[in-house]
Amino acid sequence: MTTTASDEAIWLFGYGSLIYKVDFPYLERRRARLRGWARRFWQGSHDHRGTPEAPGRVVTLVADPDAVCIGMAYRVTPAVFAHLDHREKNGYARIAADFRFDDDSEVRGLVYVAAPGNEAYLGPADEAAIARHIAGARGPSGENRDYLLALAAALRELGSDDAHVFGIERALHRIGDDATV
Ligand code: BEZ
């Protein structure tokens, strides 16, 4: 059988729920780092961790020349994107990006980014405000706080020292502690 370009596997860089919610087949998976982008809880979620009336907050990538984002890269067949484009349809688009594995080899692949101006974009807020927002949000995929906690746990396992995510996680725990006093 001959292969065509459409059969060729593609590397996909995951930095959010793709790290811990792997509901798609992959050929290979490797820790990777993406330079020039920062993970931020700046995207609204109307369809997973919130609703159109009360959006949750989920991560997107924001261009930052000084940042390095640690994530998980998957080598997938093109067919996988039909599933993922539907799962991540709320403001995200696939863009081409170059990322590196731990052995310093570099590949060109794809990454989903929700750019400013998309219909669900929320933008920056301080960590305490983001934590309060997350503490009060839920949607068809469950509590927004469970998304944050699962992402923080997955980043810890990957050895990523993500000050933004861990700062929001600490602020969320403070809300919980204050509520029990
Ligand atoms: C990711 O984990 O890479 C991802 C996050 C949000 C939307 C799409 C993908």
Side-chain angles (χ1 to χ4, degrees):
M1 193 178 88
T2 56
T3 57
T4 65
S6 67
D7 297 320
E8 272 167 28
I10 302 161
W11 280 101
L12 170 66
F13 182 84
Y15 59 92
S17 61
L18 289 184
I19 300 178
Y20 67 84
K21 185 178 175 196
V22 189
D23 59 356
F24 54 89
Y26 60 87
L27 304 165
E28 197 181 341
R29 149 164 103 164
R30 296 178 73 177
R31 200 180 98 115
R33 61 186 192 276
L34 178 62
R35 194 166 285 282
W37 294 89
R39 180 175 16 239
R40 292 289 178 263
F41 267 91
W42 290 4
Q43 173 66 3
S45 174
H46 297 180
D47 56 352
H48 284 296
R49 303 294 173 162
T51 63
E53 297 72 35
R57 266 194 187 257
V58 290
V59 288
T60 183
L61 290 179
V62 176
D64 175 348
D66 297 326
V68 177
C69 180
I70 304 282
M72 187 65 88
Y74 303 87
R75 200 160 65 84
V76 297
T77 60
V80 165
F81 288 102
H83 166 65
L84 290 178
D85 285 355
H86 179 75
R87 172 177 147 182
E88 310 299 355
K89 63 185 183 304
N90 195 195
Y92 293 88
R94 285 187 250 139
I95 64 167
D98 298 319
F99 38 90
R100 280 186 192 277
F101 302 121
D102 288 343
D103 65 4
D104 264 350
S105 59
E106 188 176 57
V107 288
R108 166 145 291 207
L110 296 173
V111 58
Y112 284 94
V113 174
N118 77 75
E119 80 274 2
Y121 193 72
L122 293 174
D126 65 44
E127 288 172 359
I130 293 177
R132 282 195 301 277
H133 185 151
I134 288 173
R138 61 199 51 79
S141 297
E143 300 281 325
N144 203 168
R145 60 177 286 124
D146 292 342
Y147 171 98
L148 165 61
L149 297 177
L151 177 59
L155 291 178
R156 236 170 244 118
E157 243 181 71
L158 272 185
S160 166
D161 187 14
D162 191 312
H164 173 76
V165 173
F166 295 150
I168 296 167
E169 182 191 37
R170 276 194 304 278
L172 181 80
H173 288 316
R174 277 197 296 274
I175 294 169
D177 294 345
D178 291 348
T180 57
V181 189

